[in-house]
Every structure is written in C-alpha cells, then in structure tokens.
Amino acid sequence: MYKSVIRPILFLFDPEKVHHFSFTLIRIVSKIGLLGLIRPIFNVEDKRLEREVFGIKFKNPVGLAAGFDKNAVLYNELSNFGFGFVEIGTLTPKPQDGNPKKRLFRLKADSAIINRMGFNNLGVFEAVEKLKKEHKVLIGGNIGKNKITPNEEALKDYMICFDALFDYVDYFVVNVSSPNTPGLRELQDKGPLTRLLRELETTNKKMASEKSVKRKPILLKIAPDLTNDQLLDIIDIVAETKIDGVIATNTTIERKNLKSHGLLLEEAGGLSGKPLKDRSTEVIRFLSDHSNKAFPIIGVGGIHSPKDALEKLDAGADLIQLWTGFIYEGLYFGQENKQSNPRPKSVNDYLVQ
Ligand SMILES: Cc1cc2nc3c(=O)[nH]c(=O)nc-3n(C[C@H](O)[C@H](O)[C@H](O)COP(=O)(O)O)c2cc1C
C-alpha cells in the first residue's frame, strides 16, 4: 500500500514540504488517538530483539537516525512506528535557518536523497523544552556547532549543547561529519577531535558526579568519506578519549555508480540511501575488525531491506538506524510470506526469524 499508493502521491510534491506535511499528519493522527492503534501493528515485542549496548537496554536494535526529528517535536509519536530509539538533532546552541531552499532532492532512480539542509534547527534550548515531557522511547542527542562559529571555538558550542541536554537524553552523538556546514569535517582530524572529545568526556564525568548520576554514553558520528588511515586514527581516538562508540556513517559527498543523471547529480550536499549502503558497511567492518570489536558501533547508511540490516549487523554493528529507507520503503520492508503471515513485516520481524 505505501509503495504502490502513498509513496507515488507523496513523491509528486517537494520533499521538504512532504516532510513537514507528514509531521503535521502524524501529530493530528496522534491527537485524535489513532496513533496508539497502529502501535501494535509496528511494534514487535520479543526478548530476542533486546540489546544492551554502552550500558543502555534497547528494546530492539532499530533506531531512527538523526535529522528526521531535528527539534525533538515528535519522538514519542515516532516511537509508535516500532523504533527502539530515536536520535534528535543535530542541534546547535543558537537557532539557525540552514541553507537556502531548495536543499533536499530525491534521486528516485537510485532510491537515494541528496540533502544540504545545513543544520536547520530551532536551537538546543527550544528542544530542551520539548524534551521535558515523558519519554516513551530512548533518545539520542545529536549535537553540532552553529555555522557562524569558527572551528577554533567549536568546543564551546558542543559544550553548550551537551550541558543543556544532559538531563534529557540517554546518549550523546558528536556530529563532526555533516558535509553541509563549511569546515565541520575538519574537526574529524586527530588533533581537534581528540581535544573536543576529551573535553566533553571531562565535562561528562564532572556533571555526572555533581548530579550523582551515571555519565552519559558519548558516540562519535563519522563520515563515510574517511580514508583507512583516518579510520585507524578514529580507533585510536576512541581508545584514548574513552568515549563509548561510533556511528558509521553520515551521508557521502561521493557520487559513484549512480543511475540518476542530469542536474540532480550536480546538487551539492550529502548523498544517502542505497548508493551509500556498501561504503557504510565497509566502514563498519573496517572499524570492527581493526579495533577487535573494542567499542560498539551503530550502523547507518542505505538500509532499505531486512537483508541490508542483517548485513550491517554481520559487519559488526550492534544497533542500526534508518532515514532514507524509511522514506522509500515505508515501515514494512517487504511482505514476504503474505499468505502464511498476513501481518506486514518490519525489520524487527525479520531480525527475530
Ligand atoms: C534530509 C536529511 C537530513 C539529515 N540531517 C542530519 C543531521 O542533522 N545530523 C546527522 O547526524 N545526520 C543527518 N542526516 C544523516 C542521517 O542521519 C544518516 O546518517 C544518513 O542519511 C545515512 O542513512 P540513510 O542512508 O538511512 O539515510 C540527515 C540525512 C538526511 C537524508
């Protein structure tokens, strides 16, 4: 139904407008009490799906990736779709509009998206207000820096976000890998990255001790465009700074093996979806193998089917996340065994088989 009826209609319209429309629709459906009715359809309650990763118990390993609910407005509602965790953000200290529109493009022939949103968000303090309500799902807080903040002062921005979100999120993600904030990826270099993570971890321990609570897990989100030498540096940095793990990967600036053509390919920004799948899996495998599984990895990039999800887990991911696959495939990820099992199947259904 989603792929044959709903998606073709949605794809007639501008992608960013569809995103806002979907949020409004989910909010209305939730207000009139219908969202609870769909919860049993999408949620798979099964002990075999449970995972304990970086000290947190996840009810299943499938999360919604950052950038979908940037301002933490719909995390509870989105949890009804079966996600074990929802990552909000990327949030910056000050609100910012992001890049001029149009900045989100569908590459239908490739089941992909190019985006150059540029951390459009209402700012971390607005998100904190939204996070003050009860949480029905585990929440990751993905943090970044404002565009106007020079890299030399980036630490201050990450600290402001870390401090503001500390009481409201279950884990943190340090995003230094978006291709859409000029210069941001330079923070992935060994020197600045080690300093940034070391300072955050020091603050983490200090805040935890002052509040008499546990420190929050800190993960680093990396680009798929790093070289093997840079990935080896990442392994060293994780060990040295004692952060909790890595999210691999963000979107890519590569434009390889694409079927789409014309002006679309010339759009600047990060590419996500199917063409990213193999590279992100390769990065996960490299990190897992070369670190001897020293730290947990959240695998993200091009998961459009249960097979893709299993591939990421086999490569060494402990948890996975989706973004573009959610748009292209909906939530069912195929309807095999329709005769014997008329209920549509989610990724989690396949993971317990
Ligand atoms: C429109 C859009 C906006 C995104 N915004 C963010 C963001 O703000 N922060 C972030 O860490 N990743 C962001 N991402 C990257 C995703 O979280 C994910 O890492 C990437 O899209 C690869 O996964 P996918 O192929 O399943 O989409 C964004 C992706 C898209 C498509």
Side-chain angles (χ1 to χ4, degrees), residues 65-67 70 90 104 115 142 175 221 249-250 272-273 300-302 323-324:
K70 284 181 188 272
T90 297
L104 186 57
N115 93 81
N142 184 310
N175 183 5
K221 186 161 179 181
T249 66
N250 213 316
S272 58
V300 51
W323 204 123
T324 308

Side-chain angles (χ1 to χ4, degrees), residues 133-252:
K133 61 184 175 224
E134 182 208 354
H135 298 180
K136 296 183 181 154
V137 65
L138 291 171
I139 297 184
N142 184 310
I143 57 178
K145 73 165 193 78
N146 280 112
K147 185 178 176 184
I148 52 161
T149 306
N151 274 4
E152 306 76 63
E153 291 167 31
L155 172 64
K156 209 165 65 194
D157 277 14
Y158 286 92
M159 284 292 183
I160 292 171
C161 294
F162 190 86
D163 184 77
L165 289 172
F166 188 89
D167 292 336
Y168 302 100
V169 298
D170 298 288
Y171 68 89
F172 277 98
V173 181
V174 179
N175 183 5
V176 283
S177 51
S178 164
N180 301 316
T181 295
L184 187 83
R185 284 183 168 194
E186 287 159 25
L187 294 174
Q188 289 178 124
D189 292 348
K190 200 167 186 175
L193 188 54
T194 306
R195 267 193 302 284
L196 173 63
L197 295 175
R198 199 182 278 142
E199 293 290 330
L200 282 171
E201 181 49 22
T202 305
T203 303
N204 193 11
K205 283 210 200 86
K206 193 162 154 260
M207 288 181 74
S209 128
E210 279 166 14
K211 291 169 187 275
S212 301
V213 295
K214 279 207 272 185
R215 61 176 283 287
K216 299 280 166 159
I218 298 179
L219 309 184
L220 171 71
K221 186 161 179 181
I222 60 167
D225 307 314
L226 298 177
T227 62
N228 285 353
D229 281 346
Q230 287 174 306
L231 290 175
L232 290 172
D233 281 350
I234 296 289
I235 293 172
D236 288 347
I237 293 167
V238 172
E240 208 176 308
T241 59
K242 299 192 172 56
I243 61 159
D244 300 79
V246 169
I247 301 194
T249 66
N250 213 316
T251 55
T252 178

Side-chain angles (χ1 to χ4, degrees), residues 111-124:
S111 298
I113 289 175
I114 291 178
N115 93 81
R116 53 167 178 273
M117 305 301 285
F119 289 171
N120 55 312
N121 76 107
L122 299 173
V124 71

